[in-house]
Amino acid sequence: MRGAVLYGAGDLRFEERDAPTIIKPTDALIRMAATCVCGSDLWPYRGLQAIAEPTPMGHEYCGVVEEVGSAVRTVKPGQFVIASFFASDNTCPHCRAGYQSSCQQREFVGGAQAPMLRVPLADGTLVATPEVPSDDLIPSLLALSDVMGTGWFAADAANVKPGATVAVVGDGAVGLLGILSAKIMGAERIIAMSRHEHRQRLAREFGATDIVIERGDEGVARIKDMTDGVGPDSVLECVGTQESMQQAIHSVRPGGSVGYVGVPHGVELSGQELFYAHVHLHGGPAPVRRYLPDLIKQVWERRINPGRVFDLTLPLAQVAEAYRAMDERRAIKTLLRP
Ligand SMILES: [Zn+2]
């Protein structure tokens, strides 16, 4: 089969790879219905995160179970499944506490930008839809595999409550779906920080009530200004840079919460500053598995349409162009069809 392999900065190849096989009795093989490129794939693609060797890429996936190992009980061939970028047993103490992305047996699932994928710990990891979905639902189901689950976690970690004022730092797919999540959780006012017109439109469609184009200290001042000097109850940090993290911590109200889901690159926090900010900080790799059953139901009943973040669809063979389009910000997120 042919799949995406990253060789170094800007060097993404679509090339022949060994097709995956069942290795452990708890594995399943998935035939991909759709996959996509993640904002976090761009860190190594831009050379901002070193890779030791040519690396098969992609960790967002949904598709039909092709084969299962002898120990797999809850999923069977022919079922349509969605799962997170971390495989988890869903039975250990961390899983039972709702932190499947810290599972004692967790395994990163990579190499999904390909027609076939091996998923470990299939019983704990894969969640099946009620039936094989119609084609128009696939983008929204695929979005649950990472970006929607991560946006939801950002809002959950930021303790978004009905009637709350929320700010969202970052207008990538996760930030945009953080807006949608905050809206569903009942936020009354949602301030999106974005300077791109195309993304602002989608932000408003998902529920943003205000747009702030300023960044850094100016962005913080603008948000304070809009909230009578108080600051939002909840801030979702969906970027992972020093500037975005500080923007979140400096703008939230005393006693408020920051949910951070941008993978940190060079972020350092000051103890003094945290001490006097009276801020609740919670974040990390989203426990997407915890939210999948509920989010699948919301998509299945057509109450939400997170697949709107895909503004470019390409055949898998054009995966290199998918990376370029996102790197150059011509696309928010690219969906790939094998
Ligand atoms: Zn576990």
Side-chain angles (χ1 to χ4, degrees):
M1 69 170 193
R2 297 181 82 195
V5 180
L6 185 67
Y7 276 76
D11 186 4
L12 190 282
R13 304 181 198 174
F14 185 64
E15 64 174 27
E16 197 60 34
R17 281 169 39 197
D18 290 338
T21 53
I22 300 281
I23 297 173
K24 292 184 187 167
T26 45
D27 290 347
L29 295 181
I30 310 297
R31 181 170 296 280
M32 211 62 69
T35 180
C36 52
V37 180
C38 183
S40 65
D41 292 334
L42 295 181
W43 291 105
Y45 180 77
R46 288 172 171 158
L48 299 171
Q49 189 179 301
I51 52 166
E53 54 191 32
T55 306
M57 297 294 287
H59 56 262
E60 295 167 76
Y61 57 97
C62 63
V64 174
V65 178
E66 178 98 349
E67 191 185 339
V68 295
S70 58
V72 174
R73 296 286 170 265
T74 62
V75 288
K76 49 181 190 282
Q79 278 185 315
F80 190 94
V81 291
I82 303 151
S84 153
F85 42 91
F86 275 125
S88 53
D89 57 20
N90 215 27
T91 54
C92 80
H94 305 323
C95 284
R96 277 184 279 132
Y99 286 84
Q100 288 90 342
S101 41
S102 274
C103 175
Q104 288 175 338
Q105 296 199 68
R106 82 169 178 187
E107 265 185 66
F108 186 73
V109 182
Q113 288 157 5
M116 293 290 294
L117 179 70
R118 180 182 76 93
V119 181
L121 301 168
D123 278 338
T125 305
L126 299 172
V127 183
T129 54
E131 313 163 30
V132 174
S134 60
D135 217 44
D136 64 316
L137 281 180
I138 286 183
S140 284
L141 292 170
L142 175 63
L144 306 185
S145 175
D146 182 355
V147 278
M148 181 64 194
T150 298
W152 190 272
F153 177 55
D156 195 13
N159 198 28
V160 174
K161 293 277 183 268
T165 296
V166 176
V168 179
V169 184
D171 64 359
V174 170
L176 291 166
L177 292 172
I179 292 170
L180 176 62
S181 302
K183 175 76 182 170
I184 298 166
M185 293 177 190
E188 191 173 299
R189 192 171 185 199
I190 303 173
I191 304 166
M193 309 197 74
S194 169
R195 40 175 62 178
H196 305 89
E197 213 179 303
H198 172 51
R199 294 170 188 230
Q200 291 170 3
R201 269 201 304 277
L202 199 48
R204 287 203 185 271
E205 188 185 313
F206 282 147
T209 52
D210 304 81
I211 305 283
V212 166
I213 56 168
E214 292 87 351
R215 280 187 188 172
D217 290 345
E218 270 179 59
V220 172
R222 183 85 190 90
I223 285 182
K224 287 286 186 191
D225 211 42
M226 293 165 82
T227 54
D228 298 324
V230 175
D233 306 297
S234 302
V235 180
L236 283 54
E237 191 287 313
C238 309
V239 182
T241 61
Q242 180 72 4
E243 186 185 55
S244 63
M245 195 67 175
Q246 279 186 326
Q247 213 165 287
I249 293 168
H250 292 168
S251 54
V252 73
R253 67 184 295 163
S257 301
V258 170
Y260 62 101
V261 296
V263 182
H265 285 75
V267 176
E268 284 184 37
L269 303 179
S270 140
Q272 276 277 331
E273 209 173 89
L274 285 179
F275 186 79
Y276 286 105
H278 265 148
V279 60
H280 297 84
L281 277 183
H282 183 36
V288 171
R289 175 66 183 83
R290 189 202 317 175
Y291 305 123
L292 277 176
D294 175 49
L295 292 176
I296 288 174
K297 190 165 190 287
Q298 294 193 48
V299 168
W300 201 259
E301 293 170 356
R302 297 178 187 271
R303 284 185 275 138
I304 57 171
N305 195 0
R308 290 277 293 127
V309 293
F310 295 108
D311 54 352
L312 179 64
T313 297
L314 293 173
L316 179 61
Q318 290 178 36
V319 61
E321 168 56 17
Y323 276 75
R324 274 194 300 274
M326 285 175 61
D327 179 40
E328 294 164 11
R329 288 187 147 255
R330 284 183 279 121
I332 299 173
K333 195 166 176 70
T334 313
L335 184 141
L336 297 162
R337 295 271 193 178

Short mmCIF file of all heavy atoms in Angstrom, two decimals, residues 157-159 165-167 169 193 219-221 223-224 227 229-237 244-259 273-274 276-281:
data_model
loop_
_atom_site.label_atom_id
_atom_site.label_comp_id
_atom_site.label_asym_id
_atom_site.label_seq_id
_atom_site.Cartn_x
_atom_site.Cartn_y
_atom_site.Cartn_z
N ALA A 157 -12.08 21.42 30.13
CA ALA A 157 -10.98 21.74 31.05
C ALA A 157 -11.06 23.19 31.51
O ALA A 157 -10.62 23.53 32.61
CB ALA A 157 -9.64 21.46 30.38
N ALA A 158 -11.60 24.07 30.67
CA ALA A 158 -11.76 25.48 31.03
C ALA A 158 -13.07 25.70 31.79
O ALA A 158 -13.46 26.84 32.05
CB ALA A 158 -11.71 26.37 29.79
N ASN A 159 -13.75 24.59 32.12
CA ASN A 159 -14.91 24.64 33.00
C ASN A 159 -16.02 25.56 32.46
O ASN A 159 -16.61 26.33 33.21
CB ASN A 159 -14.44 25.12 34.38
CG ASN A 159 -15.44 24.81 35.48
OD1 ASN A 159 -16.20 23.85 35.36
ND2 ASN A 159 -15.46 25.65 36.51
N THR A 165 -18.89 33.66 30.05
CA THR A 165 -18.14 34.40 29.03
C THR A 165 -16.84 33.64 28.77
O THR A 165 -16.12 33.30 29.71
CB THR A 165 -17.83 35.83 29.51
OG1 THR A 165 -19.07 36.52 29.67
CG2 THR A 165 -16.96 36.58 28.52
N VAL A 166 -16.60 33.36 27.50
CA VAL A 166 -15.48 32.50 27.11
C VAL A 166 -14.62 33.21 26.07
O VAL A 166 -15.17 33.90 25.21
CB VAL A 166 -16.02 31.17 26.52
CG1 VAL A 166 -14.89 30.28 26.02
CG2 VAL A 166 -16.88 30.43 27.52
N ALA A 167 -13.31 33.06 26.16
CA ALA A 167 -12.44 33.52 25.07
C ALA A 167 -11.68 32.32 24.52
O ALA A 167 -11.34 31.39 25.27
CB ALA A 167 -11.47 34.58 25.57
N VAL A 169 -8.32 31.31 22.28
CA VAL A 169 -7.07 31.74 21.65
C VAL A 169 -6.69 30.69 20.61
O VAL A 169 -6.50 29.52 20.95
CB VAL A 169 -5.93 31.86 22.70
CG1 VAL A 169 -4.66 32.39 22.04
CG2 VAL A 169 -6.36 32.76 23.86
N MET A 193 -10.41 34.86 19.06
CA MET A 193 -9.25 35.66 18.67
C MET A 193 -8.78 35.15 17.31
O MET A 193 -8.27 34.04 17.20
CB MET A 193 -8.16 35.53 19.72
CG MET A 193 -8.71 35.80 21.11
SD MET A 193 -7.46 36.16 22.35
CE MET A 193 -6.96 37.80 21.91
N GLY A 219 -4.10 42.17 22.69
CA GLY A 219 -5.26 41.27 22.68
C GLY A 219 -5.84 41.14 24.08
O GLY A 219 -7.06 41.16 24.26
N VAL A 220 -4.96 41.02 25.08
CA VAL A 220 -5.41 40.91 26.47
C VAL A 220 -6.16 42.18 26.86
O VAL A 220 -7.26 42.13 27.43
CB VAL A 220 -4.20 40.70 27.42
CG1 VAL A 220 -4.63 40.78 28.88
CG2 VAL A 220 -3.54 39.35 27.13
N ALA A 221 -5.59 43.34 26.52
CA ALA A 221 -6.21 44.62 26.88
C ALA A 221 -7.60 44.75 26.23
O ALA A 221 -8.55 45.20 26.86
CB ALA A 221 -5.31 45.78 26.43
N ILE A 223 -9.62 42.30 25.37
CA ILE A 223 -10.57 41.38 26.02
C ILE A 223 -11.00 41.92 27.38
O ILE A 223 -12.18 41.89 27.75
CB ILE A 223 -9.94 39.97 26.15
CG1 ILE A 223 -9.96 39.31 24.77
CG2 ILE A 223 -10.69 39.12 27.17
CD1 ILE A 223 -9.42 37.92 24.75
N LYS A 224 -10.06 42.49 28.13
CA LYS A 224 -10.39 43.08 29.44
C LYS A 224 -11.39 44.22 29.22
O LYS A 224 -12.37 44.35 29.95
CB LYS A 224 -9.12 43.61 30.11
CG LYS A 224 -8.21 42.51 30.65
CD LYS A 224 -8.79 41.88 31.91
CE LYS A 224 -7.81 40.88 32.52
NZ LYS A 224 -8.43 40.06 33.57
N THR A 227 -14.90 43.18 28.66
CA THR A 227 -15.56 42.50 29.78
C THR A 227 -15.51 43.37 31.04
O THR A 227 -15.37 42.86 32.15
CB THR A 227 -14.89 41.12 30.05
OG1 THR A 227 -13.47 41.33 30.22
CG2 THR A 227 -15.09 40.15 28.91
N GLY A 229 -13.28 45.13 32.30
CA GLY A 229 -12.05 45.00 33.09
C GLY A 229 -11.96 43.70 33.88
O GLY A 229 -10.98 43.48 34.58
N VAL A 230 -12.96 42.83 33.76
CA VAL A 230 -13.00 41.61 34.59
C VAL A 230 -12.23 40.46 33.95
O VAL A 230 -11.40 39.80 34.58
CB VAL A 230 -14.47 41.18 34.83
CG1 VAL A 230 -14.52 39.84 35.58
CG2 VAL A 230 -15.22 42.26 35.60
N GLY A 231 -12.50 40.19 32.69
CA GLY A 231 -11.90 39.03 32.01
C GLY A 231 -12.92 37.90 31.92
O GLY A 231 -13.86 37.82 32.70
N PRO A 232 -12.73 37.01 30.94
CA PRO A 232 -13.65 35.88 30.74
C PRO A 232 -13.58 34.87 31.90
O PRO A 232 -12.55 34.78 32.58
CB PRO A 232 -13.15 35.22 29.46
CG PRO A 232 -12.15 36.16 28.87
CD PRO A 232 -11.64 37.03 29.96
N ASP A 233 -14.65 34.12 32.08
CA ASP A 233 -14.67 33.05 33.08
C ASP A 233 -13.77 31.89 32.65
O ASP A 233 -13.17 31.22 33.47
CB ASP A 233 -16.10 32.50 33.24
CG ASP A 233 -17.10 33.61 33.54
OD1 ASP A 233 -16.97 34.23 34.60
OD2 ASP A 233 -18.00 33.84 32.70
N SER A 234 -13.75 31.66 31.34
CA SER A 234 -13.03 30.50 30.79
C SER A 234 -12.25 30.95 29.56
O SER A 234 -12.79 31.69 28.73
CB SER A 234 -14.00 29.41 30.36
OG SER A 234 -14.80 29.00 31.44
N VAL A 235 -11.02 30.48 29.45
CA VAL A 235 -10.25 30.74 28.23
C VAL A 235 -9.72 29.42 27.70
O VAL A 235 -9.16 28.61 28.45
CB VAL A 235 -9.08 31.73 28.48
CG1 VAL A 235 -8.31 31.98 27.19
CG2 VAL A 235 -9.59 33.05 29.04
N LEU A 236 -9.90 29.20 26.39
CA LEU A 236 -9.40 27.99 25.73
C LEU A 236 -8.13 28.35 24.99
O LEU A 236 -8.15 29.22 24.11
CB LEU A 236 -10.45 27.46 24.73
CG LEU A 236 -11.66 26.71 25.28
CD1 LEU A 236 -12.43 27.48 26.33
CD2 LEU A 236 -12.59 26.31 24.14
N GLU A 237 -7.02 27.70 25.35
CA GLU A 237 -5.75 27.97 24.69
C GLU A 237 -5.50 26.83 23.70
O GLU A 237 -5.26 25.69 24.09
CB GLU A 237 -4.63 28.06 25.75
CG GLU A 237 -3.31 28.59 25.20
CD GLU A 237 -2.59 27.59 24.33
OE1 GLU A 237 -2.46 26.42 24.72
OE2 GLU A 237 -2.18 27.98 23.21
N SER A 244 0.58 32.63 23.15
CA SER A 244 -0.83 32.22 23.28
C SER A 244 -1.15 31.82 24.72
O SER A 244 -2.22 32.12 25.24
CB SER A 244 -1.15 31.09 22.31
OG SER A 244 -0.38 29.95 22.61
N MET A 245 -0.20 31.14 25.36
CA MET A 245 -0.42 30.70 26.75
C MET A 245 -0.52 31.93 27.66
O MET A 245 -1.39 31.99 28.54
CB MET A 245 0.74 29.79 27.15
CG MET A 245 0.48 28.99 28.38
SD MET A 245 -0.84 27.76 28.13
CE MET A 245 -0.75 26.91 29.70
N GLN A 246 0.37 32.89 27.46
CA GLN A 246 0.33 34.09 28.30
C GLN A 246 -0.94 34.90 28.04
O GLN A 246 -1.53 35.45 28.96
CB GLN A 246 1.57 34.95 28.04
CG GLN A 246 2.74 34.40 28.83
CD GLN A 246 3.96 35.27 28.74
OE1 GLN A 246 4.21 35.89 27.70
NE2 GLN A 246 4.73 35.32 29.80
N GLN A 247 -1.33 34.93 26.78
CA GLN A 247 -2.56 35.63 26.43
C GLN A 247 -3.73 35.04 27.21
O GLN A 247 -4.57 35.76 27.73
CB GLN A 247 -2.79 35.45 24.93
CG GLN A 247 -3.45 36.61 24.26
CD GLN A 247 -3.29 36.46 22.76
OE1 GLN A 247 -2.20 36.67 22.21
NE2 GLN A 247 -4.34 36.08 22.10
N ALA A 248 -3.76 33.71 27.29
CA ALA A 248 -4.84 33.03 28.01
C ALA A 248 -4.78 33.34 29.50
O ALA A 248 -5.79 33.72 30.11
CB ALA A 248 -4.76 31.53 27.75
N ILE A 249 -3.62 33.18 30.10
CA ILE A 249 -3.48 33.35 31.55
C ILE A 249 -3.71 34.81 31.95
O ILE A 249 -4.32 35.09 32.99
CB ILE A 249 -2.10 32.84 32.02
CG1 ILE A 249 -2.03 31.32 31.84
CG2 ILE A 249 -1.83 33.23 33.48
CD1 ILE A 249 -0.64 30.73 32.00
N HIS A 250 -3.25 35.74 31.12
CA HIS A 250 -3.40 37.16 31.47
C HIS A 250 -4.81 37.69 31.25
O HIS A 250 -5.18 38.69 31.83
CB HIS A 250 -2.41 38.01 30.65
CG HIS A 250 -0.99 37.76 31.02
ND1 HIS A 250 0.09 38.20 30.27
CD2 HIS A 250 -0.44 37.10 32.07
CE1 HIS A 250 1.21 37.81 30.85
NE2 HIS A 250 0.92 37.15 31.94
N SER A 251 -5.59 37.01 30.41
CA SER A 251 -6.91 37.58 30.16
C SER A 251 -8.01 36.97 31.04
O SER A 251 -9.02 37.62 31.30
CB SER A 251 -7.29 37.46 28.67
OG SER A 251 -7.18 36.15 28.23
N VAL A 252 -7.82 35.75 31.53
CA VAL A 252 -8.89 35.10 32.32
C VAL A 252 -9.10 35.86 33.64
O VAL A 252 -8.18 36.46 34.18
CB VAL A 252 -8.54 33.61 32.57
CG1 VAL A 252 -7.43 33.46 33.61
CG2 VAL A 252 -9.76 32.80 32.95
N ARG A 253 -10.33 35.81 34.15
CA ARG A 253 -10.61 36.53 35.41
C ARG A 253 -9.99 35.79 36.59
O ARG A 253 -9.77 34.58 36.53
CB ARG A 253 -12.12 36.64 35.62
CG ARG A 253 -12.79 35.31 35.86
CD ARG A 253 -14.29 35.43 35.98
NE ARG A 253 -14.70 36.21 37.14
CZ ARG A 253 -15.92 36.74 37.29
NH1 ARG A 253 -16.84 36.57 36.35
NH2 ARG A 253 -16.22 37.42 38.37
N PRO A 254 -9.71 36.49 37.69
CA PRO A 254 -9.24 35.78 38.89
C PRO A 254 -10.27 34.71 39.27
O PRO A 254 -11.47 34.99 39.30
CB PRO A 254 -9.16 36.88 39.93
CG PRO A 254 -8.97 38.15 39.14
CD PRO A 254 -9.78 37.95 37.88
N GLY A 255 -9.81 33.51 39.51
CA GLY A 255 -10.73 32.41 39.82
C GLY A 255 -11.24 31.69 38.59
O GLY A 255 -11.93 30.68 38.70
N GLY A 256 -10.90 32.21 37.42
CA GLY A 256 -11.34 31.59 36.17
C GLY A 256 -10.44 30.42 35.78
O GLY A 256 -9.50 30.07 36.50
N SER A 257 -10.76 29.82 34.63
CA SER A 257 -10.07 28.59 34.21
C SER A 257 -9.52 28.70 32.80
O SER A 257 -10.20 29.21 31.91
CB SER A 257 -11.02 27.40 34.26
OG SER A 257 -11.52 27.22 35.56
N VAL A 258 -8.31 28.19 32.63
CA VAL A 258 -7.72 28.09 31.29
C VAL A 258 -7.64 26.61 30.93
O VAL A 258 -7.07 25.82 31.70
CB VAL A 258 -6.31 28.72 31.26
CG1 VAL A 258 -5.60 28.40 29.95
CG2 VAL A 258 -6.39 30.23 31.46
N GLY A 259 -8.21 26.23 29.80
CA GLY A 259 -8.06 24.87 29.28
C GLY A 259 -7.05 24.93 28.15
O GLY A 259 -7.27 25.63 27.17
N GLU A 273 3.86 34.59 38.71
CA GLU A 273 2.73 35.06 37.93
C GLU A 273 1.51 34.15 38.14
O GLU A 273 0.39 34.63 38.34
CB GLU A 273 3.14 35.01 36.45
CG GLU A 273 2.45 36.03 35.58
CD GLU A 273 3.07 35.98 34.20
OE1 GLU A 273 2.57 35.19 33.38
OE2 GLU A 273 4.05 36.71 33.95
N LEU A 274 1.75 32.85 38.15
CA LEU A 274 0.65 31.90 38.36
C LEU A 274 0.04 32.09 39.74
O LEU A 274 -1.17 32.08 39.92
CB LEU A 274 1.15 30.46 38.23
CG LEU A 274 1.43 29.97 36.82
CD1 LEU A 274 1.94 28.54 36.86
CD2 LEU A 274 0.19 30.05 35.95
N TYR A 276 -0.18 34.73 41.63
CA TYR A 276 -1.02 35.92 41.78
C TYR A 276 -2.18 35.98 40.78
O TYR A 276 -3.06 36.81 40.91
CB TYR A 276 -0.17 37.19 41.73
CG TYR A 276 0.61 37.36 43.01
CD1 TYR A 276 1.98 37.09 43.06
CD2 TYR A 276 -0.03 37.74 44.19
CE1 TYR A 276 2.69 37.20 44.25
CE2 TYR A 276 0.67 37.85 45.38
CZ TYR A 276 2.03 37.59 45.40
OH TYR A 276 2.72 37.70 46.59
N ALA A 277 -2.17 35.07 39.79
CA ALA A 277 -3.24 35.11 38.78
C ALA A 277 -4.52 34.43 39.27
O ALA A 277 -5.59 34.65 38.71
CB ALA A 277 -2.77 34.44 37.49
N HIS A 278 -4.42 33.60 40.32
CA HIS A 278 -5.61 32.88 40.80
C HIS A 278 -6.29 32.12 39.67
O HIS A 278 -7.51 32.17 39.52
CB HIS A 278 -6.63 33.88 41.40
CG HIS A 278 -6.48 34.03 42.87
ND1 HIS A 278 -6.76 35.20 43.54
CD2 HIS A 278 -6.11 33.14 43.83
CE1 HIS A 278 -6.54 35.05 44.84
NE2 HIS A 278 -6.14 33.82 45.04
N VAL A 279 -5.48 31.43 38.89
CA VAL A 279 -6.04 30.79 37.69
C VAL A 279 -6.08 29.27 37.86
O VAL A 279 -5.17 28.68 38.44
CB VAL A 279 -5.21 31.20 36.44
CG1 VAL A 279 -3.75 30.78 36.58
CG2 VAL A 279 -5.80 30.62 35.16
N HIS A 280 -7.14 28.64 37.37
CA HIS A 280 -7.18 27.18 37.28
C HIS A 280 -6.61 26.80 35.92
O HIS A 280 -7.11 27.26 34.90
CB HIS A 280 -8.61 26.64 37.33
CG HIS A 280 -9.32 26.92 38.61
ND1 HIS A 280 -9.98 28.11 38.87
CD2 HIS A 280 -9.50 26.16 39.70
CE1 HIS A 280 -10.52 28.05 40.08
NE2 HIS A 280 -10.25 26.89 40.60
N LEU A 281 -5.59 25.97 35.93
CA LEU A 281 -4.98 25.52 34.67
C LEU A 281 -5.22 24.03 34.52
O LEU A 281 -4.89 23.25 35.42
CB LEU A 281 -3.47 25.73 34.72
CG LEU A 281 -2.87 27.08 34.38
CD1 LEU A 281 -1.35 26.96 34.44
CD2 LEU A 281 -3.30 27.55 33.01
#
